[in-house]
Amino acid sequence: DLVRSRGLGDVYKRQYQRRVRGSSSLMSARLATGGFLSLLAFLCFLTSLILVPWYIETVRFVGSNCDHYYWKAFFRADVDCNKDECLLIDERPTWPQRFGRCEDYDSHWNWYEDCHDCDDEKRLYLLTFIWTIIATVSAFVCIFLYIGRIKRKVSRTLLLVGCGFNLIWGVVSVIYFCGLSNALETDMDDPCVDGPCDTFWGHIEYETSTEQRGYKYSWGPGPGWMLAVVGAFAALIAFTFAFAYLPHEEPEKNKKHQQL
């Protein structure tokens, strides 16, 4: 009986060791995936900060390829148009003042300093900028936390706190920016009728009249905001991967075979 008990104990021990090796490989793969998602979140947040606009307004004339663009990032704005097409059109419809005649456009202007009636809008962009910076830095830190976790130098709790911090600020920056319409409406002297001051995303079509050609006025979030959404989603999934246990940290109820 003693020999038989020892034999069964060796069998259980070998089974447990095989399971631990398989579990270790699986947990390492999960943690590596979490690290990659944190890297993706970092790149998305960083790109949204320095390269692409967060909001775009467009005017397209009916029956032509003339498009006027107004792209706004955190501290700069670009006004552009298809000059080869737009110079053939002499009308200027009743659109927002930031749209002018195509040949008069001076792109790459600092709207944050030049706009004197944009207090709430400035505050929204500034806070969004700060929170996106925090999300970018915390995503970068989360990458190294995952690396340390794989090497068993970082605790599960520290990884959860770091990735949770990244997730919170990524989501806050995305959601807070959706309040742009309220900020624009507050800064206006006249009541808001249509446009970005009314809805975050939308368009209006104006029919051709005897005074001017018809056009479509569109507005909505740009690639910067969309990249931040992708970054926040990647941070969310990375946070769920941070819950993974390493084999030597498994709860006591899963260690009974090791005791045998």
Side-chain angles (χ1 to χ4, degrees), residues 20 145 224 241:
V20 166
L145 289 177
F241 278 104

Side-chain angles (χ1 to χ4, degrees), residues 43-57 70-74 76 174 177 200-201 220-231:
L43 293 176
C44 288
F45 289 133
L46 182 64
T47 305
S48 70
L49 277 174
I50 63 176
L51 294 180
V52 291
W54 275 59
Y55 208 76
I56 297 178
E57 298 174 57
Y70 180 68
W71 300 336
K72 182 175 284 187
F74 289 110
R76 71 181 191 280
V174 168
F177 189 76
F200 184 61
W201 200 328
W225 183 82
M226 295 178 183
L227 277 172
V229 171
V230 175

Side-chain angles (χ1 to χ4, degrees), residues 68-179:
H68 291 245
Y69 304 99
Y70 180 68
W71 300 336
K72 182 175 284 187
F74 289 110
F75 302 107
R76 71 181 191 280
D78 299 334
V79 186
D80 202 0
C81 61
N82 300 334
K83 291 188 176 181
D84 293 340
E85 298 288 341
C86 295
L87 292 179
L88 301 177
I89 298 176
D90 198 29
E91 301 99 338
R92 176 181 176 182
T94 54
W95 53 22
Q97 293 182 358
R98 52 186 161 272
F99 291 104
R101 302 178 68 87
C102 191
E103 61 268 25
D104 297 332
Y105 281 164
D106 182 16
S107 61
H108 304 290
W109 60 286
N110 190 335
W111 75 271
Y112 195 85
E113 293 183 359
D114 296 340
C115 187
H116 303 294
D117 299 319
C118 309
D119 292 341
D120 281 69
E121 184 182 8
K122 288 180 179 179
R123 186 180 302 110
L124 180 138
Y125 271 91
L126 178 60
L127 290 177
T128 303
F129 180 74
I130 293 173
W131 292 335
T132 307
I133 288 179
I134 296 174
T136 304
V137 173
S138 58
F140 185 73
V141 172
C142 197
I143 296 171
F144 289 95
L145 289 177
Y146 264 110
I147 294 175
R149 179 70 174 151
I150 293 173
K151 295 181 178 181
R152 303 188 180 188
K153 295 181 179 180
V154 172
S155 68
R156 178 170 173 264
T157 301
L158 181 59
L159 180 61
L160 283 170
V161 170
C163 292
F165 188 81
N166 176 37
L167 172 61
I168 289 172
W169 290 110
V171 172
V172 166
S173 64
V174 168
I175 294 178
Y176 183 73
F177 189 76
C178 294

